[in-house]
């Protein structure tokens, strides 16, 4: 078990090395573009460009450039972005990360619970009006653009009905720290959580229903029913338990990508300065150090959640365990 | 070891353990209701092995699932009456039926590869069933699971109890399934082609096991199969099913010695002989069995029967009372001659 975990960690490091090298090559070694000039920003003085060129080692061979970049990103953590008036990159990412994590983790709880509830209820009431209504709702959730839904939620909760008893508790847009103001943190995030989760509840509910309906055709469900178990037990302990395996795979992928910055639209709509927004702004101004930092951050979470999913597999599916 | 089944208080006049009368099952389809089982009746006595034979699609499995109430009630319509120990089980509520399923009637599924939930150990699955029907501590149930696994021939049951299905071979999984079905000492075991997915040596072992369990536990067994060899080996009585009807019924000896229905003749003729010259081709029954929506109103076998005549357009009489009978219009005195004529004419070159 321990060797498996160590092996997995080594793999993660290797994958992250690959990603960092690739991103570095794309942004810093593209022929015909001078990275020093880009880092210096528009209208930079010639001396600044020269200083950056020397500082980042752009006058030295590529592996050295890569080494310097990684050292400044991970070891001395003083990689600065000149586009952004000399702000250091790492503290910005570290400040944005808790916001994105809060948003995505809360939404993840909602969508896992909601997705399982929708999927199980629809599968139990298959082909009835309840099933059809749930699937219709899920389809609406999937097809609603998140920025539109978010703005609608804002319109309702921040302006139209803000003065009624329904939404008077909703604070203004923006993020409140969990550590200094937990209740405020919760209140500001409830609506963003729900907005982000709506799409995923739809997807997960529909996929889970399909998996459950398929599971009910399986012989082992017939065996379970022939054993005289209650319908609830057949559903939860047999059908749902087996259907959770693809569910976990999907969750790992979606969660990693969202924490990595894919929740951009939700962040923008609700004024949350998370990693998605940071990446977006860095891309707009071609802020190379910032892009490098956010991409490394995103890949870190994708790789970590994938590793966690693999470990979860070992727990929930005995077939992947080595004898 | 589980205590042998104490015989339940026998109802007066030796009522059969299971009495199926006029069972009809139809499915909802795009073109309306389609009858899969047409007026089937049979009885099973305590401790008896009844075999139902027929080719795929003849309605064997559907019959058995209706006995357990495992058909999808939204698409399946079941008529007739099924008495189990004098209780009408088709009319029972799901809750009442659950008490019988797994406890009094055990199911052995056809394909042991897919019939066990892949994510639990076989011990867990046996314990789950025991504890669904009896108030018993986990440890005691586990101990019984180990005993059951020993009973069905696991060499090392204490270790096997913690194995997952994928870690067992096909034969071992089938044994685990049998242990599962036996776990509450059912009075009736329904085995749906329990040997089909197994290779021949394992088949023989599983059949021996079923016979031994019948003797040890006193369970009656309904054995569904399409393998005449299996039938001759273990069954006390045979019912031959074709196109949703029982076309011939009788004791195994009688049916094998003196088959009466032309379909049974064909089935028996298709068994490869053990002695004599090797046949270039096995005998077969020409044609295909009808699909559920194309069963003729009269004799279901008439379109494939070389002896069919005018009367076959009507429904043949079903002489249920007799110990050996066939649903056929042929004159009993002619049958011997017609059968040998058929065997002669179809002798493979």
């Amino acid at each position: 078990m321990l060797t498996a975990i160590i092996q997995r960690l080594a793999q993660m490091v290797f994958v992250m090395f690959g990603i960092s090298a690739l991103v570095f090559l794309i942004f810093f070694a593209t022929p015909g573009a001078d990275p020093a000039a880009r880092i210096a920003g528009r209208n930079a003085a010639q001396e600044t460009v020269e200083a950056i060129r020397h500082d980042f080692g752009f006058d030295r061979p590529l592996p050295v450039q890569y080494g310097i970049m990684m050292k400044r990103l991970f070891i001395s953590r003083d990689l600065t972005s000149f586009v952004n008036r000399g702000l250091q990159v790492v503290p910005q990412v570290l400040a944005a990360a808790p916001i994105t994590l809060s948003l995505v983790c809360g939404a993840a709880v909602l969508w896992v619970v909601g997705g399982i509830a929708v999927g199980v209820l629809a599968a139990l009431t298959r082909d009835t009006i309840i099933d059809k209504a749930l699937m219709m709702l899920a389809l609406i959730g999937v097809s609603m653009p998140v920025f539109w839904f978010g703005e609608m939620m804002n319109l309702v909760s921040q302006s139209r009905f803000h003065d009624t008893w329904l939404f008077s508790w909703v604070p203004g847009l923006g993020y409140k720290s969990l550590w200094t103001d937990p209740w405020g943190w919760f209140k500001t995030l409830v609506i963003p959580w729900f907005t982000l989760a709506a799409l995923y509840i739809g997807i997960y509910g529909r996929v889970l229903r399909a998996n459950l309906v398929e599971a009910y055709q399986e012989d082992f469900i017939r065996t379970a029913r022939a054993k005289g178990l209650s319908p609830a037990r057949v559903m939860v302990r047999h059908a749902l338990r087996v259907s959770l395996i693809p569910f976990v795979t999907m969750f790992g992928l979606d969660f990693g990508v969202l924490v990595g910055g894919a929740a951009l639209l939700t962040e923008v709509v609700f004024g949350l300065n998370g990693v998605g927004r940071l990446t977006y702004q860095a891309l707009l101004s071609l802020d190379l150090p910032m892009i490098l930092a956010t991409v490394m951050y995103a890949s870190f979470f994708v790789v970590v959640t994938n590793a966690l999913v693999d470990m979860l597999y070992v727990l929930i599916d005995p077939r992947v365990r080595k004898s | 070891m589980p205590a042998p089944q104490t015989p339940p208080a026998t109802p007066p006049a030796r009522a059969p353990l299971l009495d199926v009368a006029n069972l009809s099952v139809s499915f909802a389809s795009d073109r309306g209701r389609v009858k899969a089982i047409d007026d089937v009746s049979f009885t099973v006595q305590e401790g008896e092995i009844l075999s139902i034979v027929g080719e795929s699609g003849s309605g064997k499995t559907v019959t058995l699932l209706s006995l357990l109430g495992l058909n999808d009630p939204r698409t399946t319509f079941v008529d007739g009456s099924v008495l189990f120990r004098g209780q009408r089980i088709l009319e029972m509520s799901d809750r009442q039926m659950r008490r019988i399923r797994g406890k009094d009637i055990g199911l052995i599924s056809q394909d042991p590869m897919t019939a066990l939930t892949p994510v639990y150990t076989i011990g867990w699955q046996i314990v789950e069933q025991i504890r669904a029907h009896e108030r018993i501590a986990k440890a005691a149930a586990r101990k019984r699971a180990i005993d059951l696994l020993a009973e069905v021939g696991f060499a090392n049951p204490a270790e096997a109890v913690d194995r997952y299905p994928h870690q067992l071979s096909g034969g071992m999984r089938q044994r685990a399934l049998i242990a599962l079905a036996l776990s509450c000492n059912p009075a009736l075991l329904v085995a749906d082609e329990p040997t089909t997915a197994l290779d021949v040596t394992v088949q023989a072992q599983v059949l021996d096991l079923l016979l031994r369990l019948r003797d040890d536990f006193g369970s009656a067994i309904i054995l569904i199969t399409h393998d005449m060899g299996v039938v001759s080996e273990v069954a006390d009585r045979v019912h031959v099913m074709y196109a949703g009807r029982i076309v011939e019924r009788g004791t195994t000896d009688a049916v094998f010695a003196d088959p009466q229905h032309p379909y049974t003749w064909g089935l028996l003729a298709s068994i490869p002989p053990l002695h004599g010259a090797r046949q270039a081709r096995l005998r077969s029954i020409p044609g295909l069995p009808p699909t559920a929506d194309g069963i003729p109103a009269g004799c279901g076998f008439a379109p494939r029967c070389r002896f069919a005549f005018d009367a076959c357009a009507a429904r043949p009489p079903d002489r249920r009372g007799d110990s050996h009978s066939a649903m056929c219009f042929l004159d009993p005195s002619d049958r011997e001659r017609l059968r040998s004529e058929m065997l002669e004419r179809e002798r493979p070159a």
Side-chain angles (χ1 to χ4, degrees), chain A residues 184-205:
Chain A
W185 173 83
F186 181 78
K187 282 196 292 186
T188 44
L189 282 171
V190 168
I191 289 178
W193 284 339
F194 186 72
T195 308
L196 181 58
L199 162 73
Y200 291 97
I201 292 177
I203 298 177
Y204 281 57

Side-chain angles (χ1 to χ4, degrees), chain B residues 36-37 52-62 110 192-193 196 224-227 241-244 263 267 285 287-292 295 304:
Chain B
I37 304 291
I52 299 182
V53 225
E55 53 200 296
S56 312
S58 60
K60 299 168 297 192
T61 304
V62 176
Q110 174 172 9
D192 184 9
E193 309 203 13
T196 306
I224 301 233
T225 181
H226 55 240
D227 186 339
M241 253 186 121
Y242 185 81
Y263 177 62
L267 278 186
I285 305 173
L288 287 173
T291 52
I295 298 174
R304 293 171 78 187

Side-chain angles (χ1 to χ4, degrees), chain B residues 63-84:
Chain B
T63 310
L64 161 162
L65 290 183
S66 348
L67 296 185
L68 283 162
L70 288 179
N71 284 318
D72 184 349
R74 278 169 299 193
T75 54
T76 315
F77 306 94
V78 182
D79 278 330
S81 85
V82 177
L83 292 174
F84 177 74

Side-chain angles (χ1 to χ4, degrees), chain A residues 124-128 218-220 222-223 225-231 233 236-238 241-242 245 316-319 321 323, chain B residues 61 65 69-70 74 94 98 101-102 107 109 111 114-120 124-125 128-129 132-133 164 166 177 180 192:
Chain A
L124 280 178
T125 60
R126 183 151 69 98
D127 296 333
T128 64
E218 298 274 357
D219 283 354
F220 62 80
R222 194 170 81 181
T223 308
R225 295 179 62 209
K227 280 159 80 174
L229 306 179
S230 69
R233 196 175 169 95
V236 174
R237 301 308 292 263
H238 292 269
R241 179 68 177 66
V242 171
I245 294 165
I316 64 173
D317 190 351
R319 284 166 295 185
R321 267 174 237 163
S323 51
Chain B
T61 304
L65 290 183
L70 288 179
R74 278 169 299 193
D94 191 50
R98 277 211 308 271
R101 253 186 240 152
L107 170 73
S109 277
D111 186 355
T114 55
L116 288 161
T117 307
V119 296
Y120 298 118
W124 190 97
Q125 301 192 43
E128 184 188 36
Q129 171 160 6
H133 295 288
Y164 288 95
H166 70 276
L177 266 181
L180 191 75
D192 184 9

Side-chain angles (χ1 to χ4, degrees), chain A residues 92-103 259 273-275 278 297 301:
Chain A
Q92 285 198 73
V93 173
L94 290 182
I99 302 176
T100 301
L101 275 173
S102 303
L103 173 68
V259 172
N273 290 312
V275 176
L278 202 63
Y297 159 91
F301 275 101

Side-chain angles (χ1 to χ4, degrees), chain B residues 10-34:
Chain B
T10 353
R14 288 281 293 154
L17 178 67
L18 183 79
D19 186 352
V20 178
N22 309 100
L23 182 75
S24 293
V25 181
S26 49
F27 295 113
S29 80
D30 299 339
R31 278 161 296 171
R33 283 201 195 180
V34 166

